[in-house]
């Protein structure tokens, strides 16, 4: 199953809501636990990042803040805030689609996928379009 495709669909939801288009999916035992996307603008909440939203939902669903055995699929390399929350939640691995220029992750827990080139191309166009509209 291509979990990154589900993360991409979440990013598309954020894009349609005029949020920064980032989507996240948490998987455990090859099964999707939660899906989420950015909602900072709508919720007026600085913590409304896709990764944090997904982690909060997973904790509630699993009834545990420890997300051992979970993999986070996210469309954009996590920011430093999200990296810290990911570390604290004990997620085993993070797989992201696009790299952010400004944040270099120094952990072998994080891996940029080399698969999903069709999704990566479409996502790159979406994120470029989003930021281009902001500048207009």
């Amino acid at each position: 199953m291509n979990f990154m495709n589900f993360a991409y669909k979440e990013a598309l939801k954020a894009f349609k809501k005029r949020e920064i288009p980032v989507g996240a999916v948490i998987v455990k035992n090859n099964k999707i636990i939660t899906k989420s996307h950015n909602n900072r603008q709508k919720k007026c909440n600085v913590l409304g990042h896709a990764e944090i939203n997904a982690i909060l939902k997973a904790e509630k669903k699993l009834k545990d803040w420890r997300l051992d055995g979970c993999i986070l699929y996210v469309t954009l390399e996590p920011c430093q805030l999200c990296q810290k929350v990911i570390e604290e939640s004990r997620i085993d691995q993070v797989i992201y689609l696009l790299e952010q220029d400004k944040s270099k992750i120094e952990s072998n827990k994080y891996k940029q996928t080399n698969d999903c080139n069709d999704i990566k191309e479409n996502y790159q166009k979406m994120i470029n379009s989003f930021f281009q509209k902001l500048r207009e």
Side-chain angles (χ1 to χ4, degrees):
M1 184 179 299
N2 186 351
F3 297 115
M4 193 58 77
N5 195 40
F6 290 95
Y8 173 77
K9 288 178 182 176
E10 288 296 312
L12 194 54
K13 288 179 187 177
F15 179 76
K16 290 177 180 176
K17 295 175 183 176
R18 298 180 186 207
E19 297 278 354
I20 296 175
V22 179
V25 173
I26 296 180
V27 174
K28 186 168 186 170
N29 299 325
N30 218 27
K31 222 174 132 178
I32 293 176
I33 303 298
T34 62
K35 301 181 279 187
S36 195
H37 55 275
N38 276 4
N39 64 4
R40 281 174 38 162
Q41 299 300 322
K42 181 179 181 189
K43 299 285 184 179
C44 296
N45 185 342
V46 71
L47 300 175
H49 294 223
E51 302 93 327
I52 293 173
N53 291 336
I55 287 168
L56 292 172
K57 286 180 180 180
E59 290 172 344
K60 190 173 185 178
K61 187 167 186 176
L62 297 175
K63 295 178 175 61
D64 195 349
W65 63 268
R66 295 173 200 88
L67 300 181
D68 298 307
C70 290
I71 299 172
L72 171 66
Y73 291 84
V74 62
T75 54
L76 189 63
E77 180 181 17
C79 69
Q80 290 179 344
L81 171 70
C82 291
Q83 288 174 35
K84 186 62 179 163
V85 174
I86 290 163
E87 294 299 319
E88 291 295 322
S89 69
R90 301 183 182 169
I91 286 175
D92 288 358
Q93 188 176 23
V94 179
I95 299 172
Y96 59 91
L97 194 59
L98 283 184
E99 184 175 77
Q100 287 197 57
D101 294 333
K102 56 186 172 190
S103 71
K104 291 293 169 217
I105 298 173
E106 296 185 24
S107 169
N108 31 351
K109 178 185 281 201
Y110 294 81
K111 178 181 138 194
Q112 184 175 16
T113 182
N114 293 323
D115 301 330
C116 313
N117 285 332
D118 54 333
I119 297 171
K120 188 181 284 188
E121 186 178 318
N122 289 336
Y123 181 64
Q124 183 71 62
K125 288 177 186 175
M126 181 195 321
I127 207 156
N128 289 346
S129 170
F130 177 83
F131 287 110
Q132 182 63 39
K133 287 178 183 175
L134 278 181
R135 292 182 196 108
E136 291 175 352

